[in-house]
Amino acid sequence: MTRLRRPRWIGLAAVAALVAAILVSTEYRPADAPSADQAQAFDPARYGADTYQSKVVPAIRQSAVPLPELFAALSADKEAAGRRYGHRDGTGPWSFAVTGEGVAGRTTGSLMLVTGTGLPAATRVSLQVGPAINGTALRDAAGFITFGQFLNQVQYADAATALNNQMRGSVLADLEPAELTGQKITFTGAFRFVTPSVITITPIEIGRAQ
């Protein structure tokens, strides 16, 4: 009796379907991604306490660029300046660590105006002095914190907020912005570059210039 032979392409198709099913059901995560247990147990307050002073502050101090130098580079070529001095996770705006000096001005809301920074008069430079601290500049400018380290976007955002909270407790707790008005100050911090007309810096240090 002659046995019917199944066409070879049917077997190949079955193998391909099996491989595709395996790929679809397999989750790929970066090597530094948290385990499921670690991710579910994420504690923003603990993350901020463990990360801000010991890691974020040294990283920003080490990579901080004088503000006039950085602004000149951004004005010449934003992308080149970003690659040289900045950090970003993905394709969003670049974030930068910066240091500078100027004259403390009036505080409106949570922002203290700083003049005499060496930037064009059309550029408004402000420091976030609370009580509200917004944005992700500290997280993003540090350079070592990426989305892949977290389970989802909520945890990634919570990490940024936790770092802002740590900064507020460390830098701003005893700061009286009104007492600095008219005085020359120094600052180190981070900002996310969106437009050359507004530079809003989240500080890790604010001091009186010597």
Side-chain angles (χ1 to χ4, degrees), residues 22-33:
I22 293 173
L23 292 175
V24 168
S25 63
T26 302
E27 180 182 5
Y28 292 93
R29 294 183 61 79
D32 60 352

Side-chain angles (χ1 to χ4, degrees), residues 97-124:
V98 68
T99 186
E101 61 180 29
V103 177
R106 182 179 61 181
T107 297
T108 303
S110 296
L111 300 179
M112 181 172 70
L113 181 67
V114 183
T115 60
T117 59
L119 270 57
T123 299
R124 180 183 178 89

Side-chain angles (χ1 to χ4, degrees), residues 9-147:
W9 65 268
I10 295 178
L12 294 176
V15 172
L18 177 61
V19 172
I22 293 173
L23 292 175
V24 168
S25 63
T26 302
E27 180 182 5
Y28 292 93
R29 294 183 61 79
D32 60 352
S35 68
D37 290 341
Q38 290 172 325
Q40 292 294 342
F42 179 69
D43 182 342
R46 175 174 293 182
Y47 178 85
D50 291 345
T51 309
Y52 173 74
Q53 196 66 49
S54 63
K55 297 179 182 179
V56 170
V57 169
I60 289 177
R61 282 176 178 160
Q62 183 175 5
S63 59
V65 181
L67 183 55
E69 176 185 339
L70 177 58
F71 191 85
L74 286 166
S75 300
D77 189 328
K78 180 178 69 175
E79 290 302 310
R83 291 190 296 271
R84 180 176 181 182
Y85 299 114
H87 298 284
R88 67 179 175 187
D89 192 7
T91 59
W94 293 97
S95 293
F96 299 91
V98 68
T99 186
E101 61 180 29
V103 177
R106 182 179 61 181
T107 297
T108 303
S110 296
L111 300 179
M112 181 172 70
L113 181 67
V114 183
T115 60
T117 59
L119 270 57
T123 299
R124 180 183 178 89
V125 179
S126 301
L127 300 179
Q128 293 204 78
V129 292
I133 303 297
N134 300 311
T136 62
L138 295 181
R139 181 196 72 187
D140 298 340
F144 63 87
I145 304 172
T146 65
F147 175 70

